Structure formats: C-alpha cells, structure tokens
Amino acid sequence: MTNTAVIVDAIRSPMAKGKAPRDGRPGGALSSLHPVELLGQVLRRLVDRNGIDPAIVDDVITGCVSQVGEQSGPVGRWAWLAAGLPESVPSVTVHRACGSSQQAADFAAQAVIAGAHDIVIASGVESMSRIPMLTARIGQDPWGPSVAERYAPGLVPQGVSAELIAARRGFSRHDLDAFSARSHANATATDLGAEIVPVTLPDGTVVSADETVRPQTTVEGLAGLKPSFETPEMSARFPEIGEWKVTPGNSSQLADGASALLIMSETKARELGLRPRARFHSFALAGDDPITMLTGPIPATEKLLKRTGLTIDQIDHYEVNEAFAPVPLAWAQHFGADPARLNPRGGAIALGHPLGGSGGRLLTTALHGLEATGGRYGLVTMCEAGGMANATLIERL
C-alpha cells in the first residue's frame, strides 16, 4: 500500500545575479545575504503562509552544490534554525550537482509515498556570489586517476560539452541566440510574482523581483558576444565543433537564489485542511556520456515516458533546464516536442541558475505554469555534471 505524495505549496526567492561586489562595483541584489539567511527566509515564508505547525515536519531535505564555507555542513539545518523554527526538526543536504533540489523533492516525495514520512520540506539554495562555482574543489580535480584514464585525454568543461551537442545536432549560432532571446522574452511576458516570495537584506532593503531578466535582449545583440570556451587545445581535440557558438548570452546566468516545496501525503493534507495542488506522478534517473555530459535529460525522459506509458504530446508543460541553449534544443529535437510548451515562462538563460536551488525553482515554475494554463501534466528534467539527469512528472490536481 502506498501513499500519494502531493505538493501543497512551492515558492522561490527572486533570482539575483551571482556577482560579488569588487573594486567599488556593486554585487548582485542578494550578494550581501548569507546563504543560510536566504534559505531561512524562504523556509519561514513557506511555513507561515500555509499555517502549519512547523514541529510536525518530519525532515527538511536541501539541495546545495558548493558545500563549502558558508554553505558547508547541513545548510538546511542552519537555515531552519536561522528562521527561528523548531530545533526538533532535522535536515539533510543532498548533492546531485545541478539537480540537487530536484532530487531533494524526489526524495521527499518518495519518503511520503513509502509511508516513512507524512510531511517533508524540499528546498535548495546557492549563493554563487559568495561561494563561486567550483570553490569546493579546492583547486583539485575530483574524479581521480582511474576516471581520468578512462576518459583520456581528459574530461571537459560543460561549455565544451554544449559545443559538442550543438555541432552534432546541427544547431547554428543563430539557433542558440534565438532560443536565448526567447527565454528573456518569455520571462518578461510572464507575471512570475505568484511563485516569488520577497527577501529582506541586512540593511532592510526588500528584494521582490528577479534581477536577471533582460527585456531588451535581441538576437542581434547576442550575436555580438564572443564564444566563451574556445581554446587551441579544445579546437584541436574536437575539430568537429568548427565554429564555436556558446557565449555568456546563450548560457545560464550565475545566480543567487533559493526554493522550497511543502510536500506531504494527500491524507495528511486533507487532515490539516490544506489543498493539494499537484501530485508526484513519476520519477526517473539516467546517466550518459560524461564528455557530452549535458545530454542526460534525453534518456531520463525516455525512461519516464516508458514507465508512465505517456507520450510527449500528453504533457502540457516542459521545464528543461537551460544550462546552455543546446541542452533544451537537443531535448526538444529528439522528442519532437512542442516548442510552445518548452520553458514557456523563461528558463535559466533569463532567470539564472543558482545550482542547488534550481531544481526546486523549475518545479515551482512548472506548478505555477500548469495552474495558469489549466494543464494537467508537467515534466521537469535537469542535466547534471558527470552526465547524469533527473526527470520528474507532476500532475496538477
């Protein structure tokens, strides 16, 4: 006998540029806020707006990628305590690279389905302005000599993986830039206020809107940006790339942000007088080639569709993380997916990609998108370092 795991609420902070202040120049809008305080405020909002006794939460599962410095240890635990919430509630931190908070939500739902827990909060946070990407490596490669030998002459940066996908799938620079301009246009045209909760800075300033979206973005403007990952070494190793195309404009933005979902059994939600807004329908995981590491969403989605018996056309809303423009473009090309259903509220190219917080942000956006359109099924899938991917299907209730 299994339980139905439902989403009662899903929220996120505003997305801010992951830029630290330096040389007298300002940082991003959330750069003055410790990541524990950022997540703590989002957790407090989630609890308060649903009127639950926080002491009945069984666990707080938190995604975070750079678990070092201010994000070291059980960052969800510190955030919970920073929010003044009960000491009796534990927390655990999850690392599945960029999919960390999506995995947190999946683990939370699976614990509810199994009957191990009644109420779980899944959350995620990343302050990329305060803890820059790759800080946790401490200057060292984490994969060790055997992996290095297996994939000699060496693994590559994700941007090179994106270039390989673009070359092998036949995407032009214009294709990438057009998709990126669309991301900003979609985010600009959508009222995202319902999914955002305001955050207060140490000086009392309240941040309540995304800082990352650029309404003025055009294909022509993006065309002037130079490729970011071209080097003589990589050009010699991968001559198939030819013209290098991946730029800051068609890649996800470094960002600061946090997200949180209130997940419980449908029975518990009814008991507490809370309205289930969606249920977790299905889950899938996949691994793929770690050289072209960003292709994982394709086999993860294939597994999910096989498991559910659904076709891609039966899904109303697709959230495919825009780590780089070739990723959702390759996914859509592979499945023949309706482009109008793909990241219709904007994606990480416009909104930013606060690593550990992004999976929860995508689930939040998918839920609000389904509610706005009356759609039934929402698919969230995320490419992850090392060639991994999560896929999660939710059903609006």
Side-chain angles (χ1 to χ4, degrees):
M1 183 175 180
T2 59
N3 299 305
T4 298
V6 299
I7 302 172
V8 169
D9 203 3
I11 59 175
R12 65 174 178 89
S13 73
M15 298 290 108
K17 296 174 182 176
K19 180 178 67 170
R22 54 174 63 88
D23 301 327
R25 291 173 290 175
L30 299 178
S31 62
S32 65
L33 195 61
H34 193 293
V36 162
E37 304 298 329
L38 171 58
L39 178 57
Q41 291 189 40
V42 174
L43 292 173
R44 182 86 245 185
R45 293 273 186 179
L46 186 71
V47 168
D48 289 350
R49 66 192 247 151
N50 289 282
I52 65 167
D53 174 2
I56 65 175
V57 174
D58 292 300
D59 201 3
V60 179
I61 306 177
T62 302
C64 185
V65 174
S66 294
Q67 296 179 30
V68 66
E70 294 178 344
Q71 294 176 168
S72 60
V75 65
R77 171 67 171 171
W78 306 134
W80 185 262
L81 296 178
L85 295 164
E87 296 173 345
S88 59
V89 177
S91 181
V92 63
T93 305
V94 172
H95 185 305
R96 198 188 287 279
C98 295
S100 294
S101 55
Q102 183 178 352
Q103 186 62 69
D106 288 1
F107 280 158
Q110 289 157 5
V112 168
I113 291 167
H117 296 318
D118 294 318
I119 302 174
V120 186
I121 290 175
S123 64
V125 67
E126 204 83 28
S127 177
M128 300 182 77
S129 59
R130 298 173 73 97
I131 309 293
M133 188 165 57
L134 307 182
T135 298
R137 290 188 181 180
I138 321 176
Q140 305 297 315
D141 290 335
W143 42 78
S146 294
V147 171
E149 181 180 356
R150 179 173 179 177
Y151 295 100
L155 297 173
V156 300
Q158 290 190 9
V160 175
S161 299
E163 291 280 7
L164 287 168
I165 294 168
R168 292 172 184 178
R169 292 273 175 173
F171 300 135
S172 68
R173 171 67 183 270
H174 182 271
D175 293 334
L176 306 190
D177 289 345
F179 182 85
S180 302
R182 171 189 178 271
S183 182
H184 286 277
N186 284 355
T188 300
T190 306
D191 181 1
L192 297 167
E195 65 185 60
I196 298 172
V197 294
V199 170
T200 303
L201 304 182
D203 66 2
T205 301
V206 176
V207 180
S208 58
D210 295 321
E211 179 190 32
T212 47
V213 182
R214 298 190 296 271
Q216 72 281 8
T217 300
T218 63
V219 176
E220 294 74 21
L222 294 174
L225 299 175
K226 295 181 179 179
S228 301
F229 300 96
E230 181 178 11
T231 65
E233 176 191 0
M234 290 297 167
S235 294
R237 181 175 170 185
F238 300 110
E240 66 188 286
I241 291 175
E243 176 199 0
W244 289 66
K245 310 173 184 73
V246 176
T247 73
N250 54 44
S251 306
S252 57
Q253 297 183 57
L254 304 181
D256 300 339
S259 56
L261 295 91
L262 181 57
I263 298 167
M264 61 183 72
S265 70
E266 186 171 18
T267 300
K268 178 60 71 171
R270 303 293 185 193
E271 178 187 312
L272 295 175
L274 298 169
R275 181 177 69 87
R277 294 165 63 183
R279 75 177 181 101
F280 284 88
H281 186 286
S282 305
F283 315 90
L285 292 165
D288 211 349
D289 175 10
I291 298 295
T292 54
M293 68 184 87
L294 310 172
T295 52
I298 293 173
T301 301
E302 287 176 334
K303 280 174 128 177
L304 187 142
L305 294 176
K306 183 177 181 181
R307 182 167 293 151
T308 62
L310 295 172
T311 67
I312 201 72
D313 291 335
Q314 290 176 285
I315 299 172
D316 303 288
H317 185 117
Y318 319 129
E319 286 290 330
V320 182
N321 192 43
E322 296 174 1
F324 302 88
V327 177
L329 284 173
W331 180 91
Q333 182 190 75
H334 180 86
F335 290 102
D338 180 356
R341 305 182 198 183
L342 176 61
N343 302 348
R345 298 163 73 87
I349 289 171
L351 297 172
H353 180 17
L355 306 182
S358 285
R361 199 282 295 169
L362 267 67
L363 283 162
T364 297
T365 299
L367 174 62
H368 286 266
L370 289 172
E371 291 178 333
T373 62
R376 181 178 179 182
Y377 291 118
L379 169 70
V380 173
T381 188
M382 174 92 71
C383 59
E384 299 153 358
M388 300 182 293
N390 279 64
T392 307
L393 188 71
I394 62 172
E395 181 180 9
R396 184 181 65 86
L397 298 173

